[in-house]
Amino acid sequence: MKLITNNKKAFHDYFISDLYEAGIVLEGSEVKSIRGGGVNINDSFVNIKDGEVFLRNAYIKPYENTGSFQPDSRKARKLLMHRAEIDKLQRKVMEKGFSLIPTKVYFNGGKVKVEIGLAKGKKLYDKRETLKEKSIKKDIDRAMKPLK
């Protein structure tokens, strides 16, 4: 597995409960651009429409060495998942407060994969608590380091 991009903002803004792997439908030039690291999923989200899963608002940089046709860099891209997973996610999203957020884009066996997290939004005080816990953990690690 070769990691292309990671959505750290998702873990800061949401409680991620379940993670799912999905394939993504891309054009050839988009794959080449992703291989070069030209993808950003920080502001993107996933929605389910008519039993199909779509990645929205993900930015894939246009590949420079392509011919005259260049696909739109922010178009909706279809994600490939099993029907049972899609139905399960749709039921969860119907519950109050759940949404689908992409957390990673990576290559797995030569194919581009997107990791989707089932997320519930954090309140401001939850974000502060998470930052406080990280700070305490860093202080403890820093204090323990000279003892090794």
Side-chain angles (χ1 to χ4, degrees), residues 103-120:
T103 57
K104 289 182 191 172
V105 175
Y106 56 93
F107 279 100
N108 190 0
K111 293 182 172 43
V112 179
K113 302 289 184 175
V114 178
E115 186 179 75
I116 299 169
L118 187 64
K120 193 166 199 161

Side-chain angles (χ1 to χ4, degrees), residues 7-23:
N7 190 356
K8 293 179 184 176
K9 184 179 174 188
F11 291 98
H12 181 264
D13 292 342
Y14 299 96
F15 291 114
I16 307 290
S17 59
D18 296 331
L19 295 172
Y20 297 91
E21 182 181 73

Side-chain angles (χ1 to χ4, degrees), residues 33-143:
S33 182
I34 288 174
R35 196 172 295 279
V39 63
N40 184 357
I41 57 169
N42 285 344
D43 296 327
S44 60
F45 60 97
V46 176
N47 69 347
I48 301 172
K49 184 177 180 184
D50 298 330
E52 293 182 330
V53 184
F54 291 96
L55 177 65
R56 306 265 183 194
N57 205 25
Y59 175 77
I60 297 178
K61 184 176 117 181
Y63 189 63
E64 300 89 27
N65 298 333
T66 187
S68 59
F69 175 72
Q70 289 189 352
D72 184 23
S73 60
R74 291 224 181 246
K75 72 177 182 177
R77 291 170 177 85
K78 186 176 178 180
L79 297 179
L80 306 171
M81 297 179 76
H82 292 285
R83 171 62 49 203
E85 287 179 329
I86 294 171
D87 293 339
K88 183 179 178 182
L89 286 175
Q90 194 161 21
R91 282 192 302 272
K92 292 278 189 174
V93 169
M94 292 298 201
E95 291 180 26
K96 186 177 182 222
F98 280 109
S99 53
L100 298 171
I101 305 295
T103 57
K104 289 182 191 172
V105 175
Y106 56 93
F107 279 100
N108 190 0
K111 293 182 172 43
V112 179
K113 302 289 184 175
V114 178
E115 186 179 75
I116 299 169
L118 187 64
K120 193 166 199 161
K122 283 186 182 179
K123 303 284 186 207
L124 183 60
Y125 56 84
D126 291 329
K127 292 178 190 178
R128 287 187 194 136
E129 188 66 31
T130 304
L131 289 175
K132 192 186 301 181
E133 288 173 5
K134 280 185 184 179
S135 174
I136 290 170
K137 187 176 183 289
K138 274 186 183 178
D139 291 341
I140 291 171
D141 289 345
R142 210 174 288 134

